[in-house]
Coordinates of all heavy atoms in Angstrom, one line a residue:
M107 N 84.7 174.6 106.6 CA 84.3 174.5 105.2 C 84.4 173.1 104.7 O 85.4 172.4 104.9 CB 85.1 175.5 104.3 CG 84.5 175.6 102.9 SD 85.5 176.8 101.9 CE 84.9 176.3 100.3
V108 N 83.4 172.7 104.0 CA 83.4 171.3 103.5 C 83.8 171.3 102.0 O 83.3 172.1 101.2 CB 82.0 170.7 103.6 CG1 82.0 169.2 103.2 CG2 81.5 170.8 105.1
L109 N 84.6 170.4 101.7 CA 85.0 170.3 100.3 C 83.9 169.7 99.4 O 83.1 168.9 99.9 CB 86.2 169.3 100.2 CG 87.5 169.8 100.7 CD1 88.5 168.6 100.8 CD2 88.1 170.9 99.9
P110 N 83.7 170.3 98.3 CA 82.7 169.8 97.4 C 82.9 168.3 97.0 O 84.0 167.9 96.7 CB 82.7 170.7 96.2 CG 84.1 171.2 96.2 CD 84.5 171.3 97.6
I111 N 81.9 167.5 97.0 CA 82.0 166.1 96.7 C 81.7 166.0 95.2 O 80.6 166.4 94.7 CB 81.0 165.3 97.6 CG1 81.4 165.4 99.0 CG2 81.1 163.8 97.1 CD1 80.3 164.9 100.0
V112 N 82.6 165.4 94.5 CA 82.4 165.2 93.1 C 81.7 163.8 92.9 O 82.1 162.8 93.4 CB 83.8 165.1 92.4 CG1 83.6 165.0 90.9 CG2 84.6 166.4 92.7
D113 N 80.6 163.9 92.2 CA 79.7 162.8 92.0 C 80.4 161.6 91.3 O 80.2 160.5 91.7 CB 78.5 163.2 91.1 CG 77.3 163.3 92.0 OD1 77.4 163.4 93.2 OD2 76.2 163.1 91.4
Q114 N 81.3 161.9 90.4 CA 82.0 160.8 89.7 C 82.9 160.0 90.6 O 83.2 158.9 90.2 CB 82.8 161.4 88.5 CG 81.9 161.7 87.3 CD 81.7 163.2 87.2 OE1 81.7 163.9 88.3 NE2 81.7 163.8 86.0
H115 N 83.2 160.6 91.7 CA 84.1 159.9 92.6 C 83.4 159.0 93.6 O 84.0 158.2 94.3 CB 85.0 160.9 93.3 CG 86.1 161.5 92.4 ND1 87.0 162.4 92.9 CD2 86.3 161.3 91.1 CE1 87.7 162.8 91.8 NE2 87.3 162.1 90.8
K116 N 82.1 159.0 93.5 CA 81.3 158.1 94.4 C 81.4 156.7 93.9 O 81.3 156.5 92.6 CB 79.9 158.6 94.4 CG 79.7 159.8 95.3 CD 78.2 160.1 95.4 CE 78.0 161.4 96.2 NZ 76.5 161.7 96.3
P117 N 81.6 155.8 94.8 CA 81.7 154.4 94.3 C 80.3 154.0 93.8 O 79.3 154.4 94.3 CB 82.0 153.6 95.6 CG 81.7 154.5 96.7 CD 81.8 155.9 96.2
K118 N 80.3 153.2 92.7 CA 79.1 152.8 92.1 C 79.0 151.3 92.1 O 79.9 150.6 91.9 CB 79.1 153.3 90.6 CG 78.0 154.3 90.3 CD 78.1 154.6 88.8 CE 76.7 155.1 88.3 NZ 76.7 155.4 86.9
C119 N 77.7 150.9 92.4 CA 77.5 149.4 92.4 C 77.4 149.0 90.9 O 76.5 149.5 90.2 CB 76.2 149.1 93.1 SG 75.8 147.3 93.0
F120 N 78.2 148.1 90.5 CA 78.2 147.7 89.1 C 77.1 146.7 88.8 O 76.9 146.3 87.7 CB 79.6 147.2 88.6 CG 80.1 146.1 89.5 CD1 79.9 144.8 89.1 CD2 80.8 146.4 90.6 CE1 80.4 143.8 89.9 CE2 81.3 145.3 91.4 CZ 81.1 144.0 91.0
L121 N 76.4 146.3 89.9 CA 75.3 145.3 89.7 C 74.0 146.0 89.5 O 73.2 145.5 88.7 CB 75.3 144.4 90.9 CG 76.5 143.4 91.1 CD1 76.5 142.9 92.5 CD2 76.4 142.3 90.1
C122 N 73.8 147.1 90.1 CA 72.5 147.8 90.0 C 72.7 149.3 89.6 O 71.7 150.0 89.6 CB 71.7 147.6 91.2 SG 72.3 148.5 92.6
S123 N 73.9 149.7 89.5 CA 74.2 151.1 89.0 C 73.9 152.1 90.1 O 73.8 153.3 89.8 CB 73.5 151.4 87.7 OG 74.1 150.6 86.7
G124 N 73.6 151.7 91.3 CA 73.4 152.7 92.4 C 74.7 153.3 92.8 O 75.7 152.6 92.8
S125 N 74.7 154.6 93.2 CA 75.9 155.2 93.7 C 75.8 155.4 95.2 O 74.7 155.7 95.7 CB 76.2 156.5 92.9 OG 75.1 157.4 93.2
F126 N 77.0 155.4 95.9 CA 77.0 155.5 97.3 C 78.0 156.5 97.8 O 79.0 156.8 97.1 CB 77.3 154.1 97.9 CG 76.2 153.1 97.5 CD1 76.3 152.4 96.3 CD2 75.2 152.9 98.3 CE1 75.3 151.5 95.9 CE2 74.2 152.0 98.0 CZ 74.2 151.4 96.8
E127 N 77.9 156.9 99.0 CA 78.7 158.0 99.6 C 80.2 157.6 99.7 O 81.1 158.3 99.5 CB 78.2 158.4 100.9 CG 76.9 159.2 100.9 CD 77.0 160.4 100.0 OE1 78.0 161.1 100.2 OE2 76.0 160.7 99.3
N128 N 80.4 156.3 100.0 CA 81.7 155.8 100.2 C 81.8 154.3 100.0 O 80.7 153.7 99.8 CB 82.3 156.2 101.5 CG 81.4 155.7 102.6 OD1 81.0 154.6 102.7 ND2 81.0 156.7 103.5
I129 N 83.0 153.8 99.9 CA 83.1 152.4 99.6 C 82.5 151.5 100.7 O 82.0 150.4 100.4 CB 84.6 152.1 99.4 CG1 84.8 150.8 98.6 CG2 85.4 152.0 100.7 CD1 84.6 150.9 97.1
E130 N 82.5 152.0 101.9 CA 81.9 151.2 103.0 C 80.4 151.0 102.7 O 79.8 150.0 102.9 CB 82.2 151.9 104.3 CG 81.9 151.1 105.5 CD 82.8 149.8 105.6 OE1 84.0 149.9 105.1 OE2 82.4 148.8 106.1
E131 N 79.7 152.1 102.3 CA 78.3 152.1 102.1 C 78.0 151.1 100.9 O 77.1 150.4 100.9 CB 77.7 153.5 101.7 CG 77.7 154.4 102.9 CD 76.7 153.9 104.0 OE1 75.6 153.5 103.6 OE2 77.2 153.9 105.1
L132 N 78.9 151.2 99.9 CA 78.7 150.3 98.8 C 78.9 148.9 99.2 O 78.1 148.0 98.8 CB 79.8 150.7 97.7 CG 79.9 149.7 96.5 CD1 78.6 149.7 95.7 CD2 81.0 150.1 95.6
R133 N 79.8 148.6 100.0 CA 80.0 147.2 100.5 C 78.8 146.7 101.3 O 78.4 145.6 101.1 CB 81.3 147.1 101.3 CG 82.4 146.5 100.6 CD 83.6 146.2 101.4 NE 83.3 145.8 102.8 CZ 84.1 145.9 103.8 NH1 85.2 146.4 103.7 NH2 83.7 145.4 105.0
K134 N 78.3 147.6 102.2 CA 77.2 147.2 102.9 C 76.0 146.9 102.0 O 75.2 145.9 102.2 CB 76.8 148.3 103.9 CG 77.6 148.3 105.2 CD 77.0 149.3 106.2 CE 78.0 150.1 106.8 NZ 77.5 151.3 107.4
H135 N 75.8 147.7 101.0 CA 74.7 147.6 100.1 C 74.9 146.2 99.3 O 73.9 145.5 99.2 CB 74.7 148.7 99.1 CG 74.0 148.4 97.8 ND1 72.7 148.3 97.6 CD2 74.6 148.0 96.6 CE1 72.4 148.0 96.4 NE2 73.5 147.8 95.7
Q136 N 76.0 145.9 98.9 CA 76.3 144.7 98.1 C 76.1 143.5 99.0 O 75.5 142.5 98.6 CB 77.6 144.7 97.5 CG 77.7 145.6 96.4 CD 79.0 145.5 95.6 OE1 80.0 145.1 96.1 NE2 79.0 145.9 94.3
E137 N 76.5 143.6 100.3 CA 76.3 142.4 101.2 C 74.8 142.2 101.5 O 74.4 141.1 101.8 CB 77.1 142.7 102.5 CG 78.6 142.3 102.3 CD 79.4 142.6 103.5 OE1 78.9 142.8 104.6 OE2 80.7 142.6 103.3
R138 N 74.1 143.3 101.5 CA 72.7 143.2 101.8 C 71.8 142.9 100.6 O 71.0 141.9 100.6 CB 72.2 144.5 102.4 CG 70.8 144.5 103.1 CD 70.4 145.8 103.6 NE 70.5 146.8 102.5 CZ 71.1 148.0 102.6 NH1 71.7 148.3 103.7 NH2 71.1 148.8 101.6
D139 N 72.0 143.6 99.5 CA 71.2 143.5 98.3 C 71.7 142.5 97.3 O 71.0 142.0 96.4 CB 71.0 144.8 97.7 CG 70.1 145.7 98.6 OD1 69.7 145.3 99.6 OD2 70.0 146.9 98.2
H140 N 73.0 142.2 97.4 CA 73.5 141.2 96.4 C 74.3 140.2 97.2 O 75.5 140.0 96.9 CB 74.5 142.0 95.4 CG 73.8 143.2 94.8 ND1 72.7 143.1 93.9 CD2 74.2 144.5 94.9 CE1 72.4 144.3 93.5 NE2 73.3 145.2 94.1
K141 N 73.6 139.6 98.2 CA 74.3 138.8 99.1 C 75.1 137.6 98.4 O 76.2 137.3 98.7 CB 73.3 138.2 100.1 CG 73.9 137.8 101.4 CD 72.8 137.5 102.4 CE 73.5 137.2 103.8 NZ 74.3 136.0 103.8
D142 N 74.4 137.0 97.5 CA 75.0 135.9 96.8 C 76.3 136.3 96.1 O 77.3 135.6 96.2 CB 74.0 135.3 95.7 CG 72.8 134.6 96.4 OD1 72.9 134.4 97.6 OD2 71.9 134.4 95.6
F143 N 76.2 137.4 95.5 CA 77.4 137.9 94.8 C 78.5 138.2 95.8 O 79.7 137.9 95.6 CB 77.0 139.2 94.0 CG 78.2 139.7 93.2 CD1 78.5 139.2 92.0 CD2 79.0 140.7 93.7 CE1 79.5 139.7 91.2 CE2 80.1 141.2 93.0 CZ 80.3 140.7 91.8
A144 N 78.2 138.9 96.9 CA 79.2 139.3 97.9 C 79.9 138.0 98.4 O 81.1 138.0 98.6 CB 78.6 140.1 99.0
E145 N 79.1 137.0 98.7 CA 79.7 135.8 99.3 C 80.5 135.1 98.3 O 81.5 134.5 98.6 CB 78.6 135.0 99.9 CG 78.2 135.6 101.3 CD 77.1 134.8 102.0 OE1 76.7 133.7 101.5 OE2 76.7 135.3 103.0
F146 N 80.1 135.1 97.1 CA 80.8 134.5 96.0 C 82.2 135.1 96.0 O 83.2 134.4 95.8 CB 80.1 134.7 94.7 CG 80.9 134.2 93.5 CD1 81.0 132.8 93.2 CD2 81.5 135.1 92.7 CE1 81.7 132.4 92.1 CE2 82.3 134.7 91.6 CZ 82.3 133.3 91.3
H147 N 82.3 136.4 96.1 CA 83.6 137.0 96.0 C 84.4 136.9 97.3 O 85.7 136.8 97.2 CB 83.4 138.5 95.6 CG 83.4 138.7 94.2 ND1 84.5 139.1 93.5 CD2 82.4 138.5 93.3 CE1 84.2 139.1 92.2 NE2 82.9 138.7 92.0
K148 N 83.7 136.9 98.4 CA 84.4 136.8 99.7 C 85.1 135.5 99.8 O 86.3 135.4 100.3 CB 83.4 137.0 100.8 CG 84.0 137.3 102.2 CD 83.0 137.8 103.1 CE 81.8 136.9 103.3 NZ 80.7 137.4 104.0
D149 N 84.4 134.4 99.4 CA 85.0 133.1 99.6 C 85.8 132.7 98.4 O 86.2 131.5 98.3 CB 83.8 132.1 99.7 CG 83.1 132.4 101.0 OD1 83.7 133.1 101.9 OD2 81.9 132.0 101.1
R150 N 86.0 133.6 97.5 CA 86.7 133.3 96.2 C 88.2 132.9 96.5 O 89.0 133.7 96.9 CB 86.6 134.4 95.3 CG 86.9 134.0 93.9 CD 86.6 135.1 92.9 NE 87.4 135.0 91.7 CZ 87.2 134.2 90.7 NH1 86.1 133.4 90.8 NH2 87.9 134.1 89.7
G151 N 88.5 131.7 96.3 CA 89.9 131.3 96.4 C 90.1 130.4 95.2 O 89.4 130.6 94.2
P152 N 91.2 129.6 95.2 CA 91.4 128.8 94.1 C 90.2 127.8 94.0 O 90.0 127.0 94.9 CB 92.7 128.0 94.5 CG 93.2 128.6 95.8 CD 92.1 129.5 96.3
A153 N 89.6 127.8 92.9 CA 88.4 126.9 92.7 C 88.7 126.0 91.5 O 89.4 126.4 90.6 CB 87.2 127.8 92.5
P154 N 88.1 124.9 91.5 CA 88.2 124.0 90.4 C 87.6 124.7 89.2 O 86.5 125.3 89.2 CB 87.4 122.8 90.7 CG 86.6 123.1 91.9 CD 87.3 124.3 92.6
G155 N 88.3 124.7 88.1 CA 87.8 125.4 86.9 C 88.5 126.7 86.7 O 88.6 127.2 85.6
D156 N 89.0 127.3 87.8 CA 89.8 128.5 87.6 C 91.2 128.1 87.0 O 91.6 127.0 87.1 CB 90.1 129.1 89.0 CG 89.0 130.2 89.4 OD1 88.1 130.3 88.6 OD2 89.2 130.8 90.4
V157 N 91.8 129.1 86.4 CA 93.1 128.9 85.9 C 94.1 128.7 87.1 O 94.2 129.6 87.9 CB 93.6 130.0 85.0 CG1 95.0 129.8 84.4 CG2 92.6 130.2 83.8
A158 N 94.7 127.6 87.2 CA 95.6 127.4 88.3 C 97.0 128.0 88.0 O 97.5 127.9 86.9 CB 95.8 125.9 88.5
V159 N 97.5 128.7 89.0 CA 98.8 129.3 88.8 C 99.8 128.6 89.8 O 99.6 128.6 91.0 CB 98.8 130.8 89.2 CG1 100.2 131.4 89.0 CG2 97.8 131.5 88.3
F160 N 100.8 128.0 89.2 CA 101.8 127.3 90.0 C 103.1 128.1 90.2 O 103.5 128.8 89.3 CB 102.1 126.0 89.4 CG 100.9 125.0 89.5 CD1 100.1 124.8 88.4 CD2 100.6 124.4 90.7 CE1 99.0 124.0 88.5 CE2 99.5 123.6 90.8 CZ 98.7 123.3 89.7
Ligands
ZN365 ZN1 73.7 147.1 93.9

């Protein structure tokens, strides 16, 4: 028996409001369809202009 999947628990892309079966699908979608955004976050480290925490 398969547990019912609750729609609200599906991860949602906050860039285009698409919903996905799981977080992995969402990540693949963002890397493919929002590549610039995904790479911006992947490489996000201490950047000039960010608030520096010492
Ligand atoms: Zn999207």
Side-chain angles (χ1 to χ4, degrees):
M107 191 177 161
V108 182
L109 289 171
I111 296 164
V112 184
D113 252 22
Q114 281 104 326
H115 288 182
K116 284 186 184 178
K118 245 182 154 184
C119 176
F120 55 95
L121 291 164
C122 68
S123 295
S125 60
F126 298 87
E127 290 303 316
N128 53 54
I129 199 76
E130 195 61 33
E131 290 298 313
L132 172 62
R133 254 187 40 201
K134 278 191 226 163
H135 157 77
Q136 286 188 335
E137 278 176 17
R138 192 181 56 229
D139 292 354
H140 310 294
K141 203 169 187 295
D142 290 347
F143 181 85
E145 279 180 8
F146 172 77
H147 271 260
K148 196 164 57 189
D149 297 338
R150 195 172 154 77
D156 268 3
V157 179
V159 181
F160 291 102

